[in-house]
Amino acid sequence: MTDHPDEFDTDDQAAPDWRSLTYEVFNPDHTAGVACNRDGEIVGLHLTDDARDNGDIWLAAEIVRLARLAHQKSRLGLRSEMERNGTRSYTIDSFDLPTETSYRAMEAAEFGNFRP
């Protein structure tokens, strides 16, 4: 699974292969992670033994939480793709796609930290 969120912002780089990108989100202790493709579909799941030892209820809630964030991260990737392709901002905004700042705020709300 590959994740390249910082590459979207640089105009002097060649455009990434948008269709093959995956968007990963891990919990803070890296015991669980979920990856989504460009369309927001789950394509990967990472679980450590520690995660499995926390019980089914915790694990189910953690997977759903991470899947929701990974889906939003894929939507952030769509925003970046549209911006790079020259789509007008009002069109992008009509899709209600998260910005980098709003996505980071979602992570902060879930994990209790803010990474600018």
Side-chain angles (χ1 to χ4, degrees):
M1 295 185 279
T2 58
D3 181 15
H4 305 284
D6 296 333
E7 292 182 12
F8 301 147
D9 297 331
T10 308
D11 290 331
D12 60 344
Q13 293 180 347
D17 181 5
W18 299 104
R19 296 213 181 270
S20 67
L21 287 179
T22 57
Y23 302 90
E24 299 174 333
V25 177
F26 287 85
N27 61 359
D29 60 2
H30 292 281
T31 57
V34 173
C36 283
N37 66 11
R38 176 181 181 259
D39 296 326
E41 298 169 343
I42 295 174
V43 295
L45 181 63
H46 168 82
L47 300 173
T48 66
D49 289 338
D50 291 339
R52 291 188 290 271
D53 292 343
N54 284 328
D56 293 344
I57 293 172
W58 178 88
L59 185 56
E62 194 70 0
I63 291 169
V64 169
R65 174 169 80 149
L66 293 169
R68 188 177 319 118
L69 284 171
H71 178 77
Q72 287 301 315
K73 196 171 194 178
S74 75
R75 291 177 49 81
L76 174 59
L78 177 59
R79 171 182 278 278
S80 298
E81 178 182 355
M82 292 174 78
E83 288 171 347
R84 183 147 194 156
N85 291 335
T87 306
R88 296 183 188 263
S89 61
Y90 61 82
T91 302
I92 295 170
D93 291 342
S94 72
F95 286 95
D96 196 30
L97 300 172
T99 62
E100 180 75 26
T101 303
S102 65
Y103 173 75
R104 294 294 175 205
M106 287 179 223
E107 272 193 354
E110 290 294 332
F111 300 136
N113 61 351
F114 184 76
R115 296 182 295 187

